[in-house]
Amino acid sequence: SCFMNGHSNDVVIRPAATLYDGEMIYGFLDDNKFDPVTGEGHVLLLPRSYIKDNLGEFYVAELMPRPGNGWPILVGCGRVSAYEWEGERIAELGSIVTDRLYRGWGIGSRLVDHGKTIACQTGHDELYALVDKTDPLLIEFYENNGFEFVDGRPIPKIKRDCEACPLYEKLCKEATYAAKLVVPQPELLMPGSYRSSLNGSAHSGLPEMRAVQ
């Protein structure tokens, strides 16, 4: 394929902003959803209604064309959900998917880094992710991107959501991983609530924040 010789520097990570973005995100998740029969797939297929109502949680990877050579192409997506649970502020990374045609470019790591940046800029010192504990390549990917194993069962808020899933008791493959983050100084944090900040374009050009290795 002529698309296989690119580089992640040709890709821009930006907030999801349109209905088209939402449909593409749904397509990415659908193509990579976990199938309890075959065991294939690694992401939770979220309903279209959730994506539409919470579009501000999502961001997309966009391959920029060469000048005069067509339109940008969406090649991946990610999501950071931030909430409070029993007095604890939690940031959860999810929906990390790269289009199959563009894997090997480093886009997945760019998507994870962007999620870390969002979590940092909203004052979180840790970013959680649910990782398929039966997939060594996926575990290696997250560990190479600064995540460490936390628990075989998810943290309380995520655990509550998981327990509502019919796969939880017998077929759940998820383990909780977390990345420690360096939180910026207060004057550098995003103002306002997480949701209001992500509904705009506030995280489109955030500076990179590093994880504690």
Side-chain angles (χ1 to χ4, degrees):
S1 168
C2 61
F3 296 115
M4 299 307 290
N5 297 317
H7 191 276
S8 68
N9 288 342
D10 301 323
V11 173
V12 172
I13 311 294
R14 64 165 177 80
T18 67
L19 291 176
Y20 174 76
D21 291 344
E23 280 300 305
M24 288 297 294
I25 290 167
Y26 181 86
F28 288 139
L29 301 184
D30 189 36
D31 288 343
N32 294 273
K33 66 180 181 292
F34 171 62
D35 185 333
V37 177
T38 64
E40 296 179 349
H42 69 278
V43 295
L44 176 67
L45 177 59
L46 297 169
R48 278 189 170 94
S49 58
Y50 180 92
I51 297 171
K52 179 181 177 181
D53 293 343
N54 299 276
L55 194 60
E57 294 183 355
F58 293 85
Y59 49 94
V60 293
E62 193 169 54
L63 177 64
M64 306 308 292
R66 295 192 175 116
N69 191 28
W71 300 92
I73 302 171
L74 296 190
V75 296
C77 64
R79 168 179 57 89
V80 172
S81 301
Y83 39 73
E84 288 193 9
W85 177 253
E86 296 181 349
E88 181 182 5
R89 297 179 69 245
I90 295 171
E92 179 190 347
L93 180 72
S95 304
I96 299 293
V97 176
T98 302
D99 188 299
R100 287 182 174 87
L101 286 175
Y102 303 93
R103 290 177 184 172
W105 290 25
I107 296 170
S109 293
R110 291 272 307 278
L111 290 166
V112 171
D113 284 346
H114 194 77
K116 290 179 184 178
T117 300
I118 293 172
C120 280
Q121 290 283 36
T122 50
H124 295 87
D125 60 7
E126 201 162 28
L127 179 63
Y128 291 94
L130 293 179
V131 180
D132 182 349
K133 59 192 174 188
T134 69
D135 188 335
L137 291 178
L138 198 60
I139 291 172
E140 181 181 15
F141 169 77
Y142 277 93
E143 289 180 342
N144 287 343
N145 282 282
F147 284 78
E148 296 182 351
F149 175 80
V150 175
D151 198 323
R153 291 296 189 183
I155 57 176
K157 164 62 175 69
I158 303 173
K159 184 173 186 292
R160 183 200 67 174
D161 294 343
C162 288
E163 286 176 342
C165 174
L167 306 178
Y168 183 69
E169 288 299 328
K170 295 182 178 180
L171 295 174
C172 180
K173 306 190 299 177
E174 307 290 351
T176 305
Y177 280 67
K180 299 288 186 182
L181 306 173
V182 177
V183 180
Q185 295 300 311
E187 62 269 19
L188 298 179
L189 296 178
M190 285 185 184
S193 68
Y194 177 83
R195 183 170 302 280
S196 65
S197 68
L198 294 191
N199 280 340
S201 58
H203 66 303
S204 60
L206 298 179
E208 293 295 329
M209 295 293 168
R210 64 181 178 88
V212 177
Q213 301 297 325

